[in-house]
Amino acid sequence: MKKKFLIGFLATLLSVPTSGLFAGPLDGQCIALVHGILGFDDTQGLAGGLVKYWGGLDGYLRSQGAKVTTPGSSATNSIPTRASQIQSSVTTWMTANGCSKVHLMGHSQGGLVIRYMVSNLGFNGKTQTVTTINSLHQGAPMADIVLGVIPGWLQPFANSALSLLAKLVYRDGRPQDVIAMGNSLTVSYVKTFNANSPNKSGIKYYSYGSEMAWADLIQHPIMALTHPITWAGGLFYGLGGGNDGVVPLNSQKWGTWKGTPSSYWFATGIDHLQATNLAWSGQNYYDVQGHYLNIAKNAKAGL
């Protein structure tokens, strides 16, 4: 009797469709979370895993039935360089995980990286949707301001020193180019980028973002320092004063704008770092997991 029961149990188990192994609202959806500048693969994280770019969101989305990768690329480099690295990593992951298409989700410069992959590297055939989060689709004026302060003759020396520092910090053997990274964030560069990287037909594009209510040093100890600069730059370039500390809110919009997350009553908005729950910095101020589940469910539904 026990033998028959065991055989029957195994037969039932083997008859369950593969998709059943990924039970949940996301049910086997393939998702790539692509970091922005100074980012990294959350498989290892930084500081021995103590710092995670996505603050555990990859694991949470897996618990909801998705297949998720957090590919790493050069922390400081141009969009084409990073896009090539990300595409290679995602393609390998897709093959290993049986994914014919993937939902690309990019934060900050990562949003431009995934757009470049789809528009310029022929990845549109493997892309289901493109979702950008706090990305700089009209540029980040702070980059223009910072680069404007560094004299042209000094930039090569600054680039060598800062790129070497990045190599020492990340220790992944990838090329680093701080000036190329900075140039890729400027208003003028992104204007040209948009002209050369149009949306691909047949693929839906979504964007999400956030903003800070004001430069609150308690909730936003880092972004409170950059918020006034971004505010001034946003007004100068006609992008408005509202921003997340790095990117004007109006610059974060691309494709179908899906809005900002609802923060808790005591929060003073959501900044650029809290938008990905970097080092678990956002979860005390808004429902991070609920927000990203809605992002993933929207991509799945193609609304």
Side-chain angles (χ1 to χ4, degrees), residues 86-290:
I86 292 293
Q87 178 162 311
S88 177
S89 178
V90 172
T91 299
T92 300
W93 175 82
M94 289 176 68
T95 300
N97 288 271
C99 300
S100 59
K101 288 196 173 184
V102 64
H103 297 288
L104 296 174
M105 301 180 183
H107 171 251
S108 192
Q109 190 206 43
L112 303 187
V113 166
I114 61 177
R115 282 180 52 201
Y116 188 89
M117 287 168 55
V118 173
S119 298
N120 304 96
L121 298 184
F123 203 69
N124 53 305
K126 294 183 178 181
T127 302
Q128 197 157 352
T129 60
V130 171
T131 299
T132 63
I133 302 159
N134 292 66
S135 292
L136 50 147
H137 301 290
Q138 305 302 325
M142 188 169 69
D144 296 80
I145 295 172
V146 172
L147 288 174
V149 172
I150 304 176
W153 64 267
L154 184 58
Q155 288 191 12
F157 300 99
N159 191 33
S160 296
L162 294 173
S163 297
L164 176 59
L165 178 61
K167 289 181 180 180
L168 293 175
V169 171
Y170 290 90
R171 297 174 179 271
D172 56 15
R174 296 189 180 103
Q176 306 292 341
D177 190 330
V178 173
I179 296 299
M181 173 198 76
N183 284 328
S184 75
L185 309 178
T186 62
V187 173
S188 59
Y189 178 94
V190 178
K191 183 177 181 180
T192 301
F193 172 87
N194 288 338
N196 295 330
S197 305
N199 290 355
K200 284 289 187 178
S201 62
I203 295 178
K204 293 188 175 181
Y205 290 72
Y206 306 101
S207 57
Y208 297 78
S210 68
E211 64 180 322
M212 297 163 55
W214 51 284
D216 172 10
L217 280 167
I218 296 177
Q219 183 185 331
H220 314 285
I222 298 176
M223 295 293 101
L225 303 177
T226 58
H227 181 273
I229 301 173
T230 302
W231 174 83
L235 292 178
F236 180 80
Y237 284 100
L239 296 171
N243 69 85
D244 63 1
V246 176
V247 184
L249 184 64
N250 287 329
S251 186
Q252 299 171 31
K253 301 176 181 180
W254 190 262
T256 301
W257 170 244
K258 303 298 288 186
T260 63
S262 297
S263 57
Y264 299 145
W265 66 269
F266 54 84
T268 54
I270 304 301
D271 68 38
H272 195 72
L273 304 181
Q274 293 165 348
T276 67
N277 203 31
L278 175 71
W280 297 274
S281 61
Q283 59 194 27
N284 292 326
Y285 302 106
Y286 73 112
D287 182 7
V288 175
Q289 292 184 343

Side-chain angles (χ1 to χ4, degrees), residues 7-18:
I7 293 174
F9 174 77
L10 290 173
T12 300
L13 183 63
L14 292 173
S15 68
V16 175
T18 304

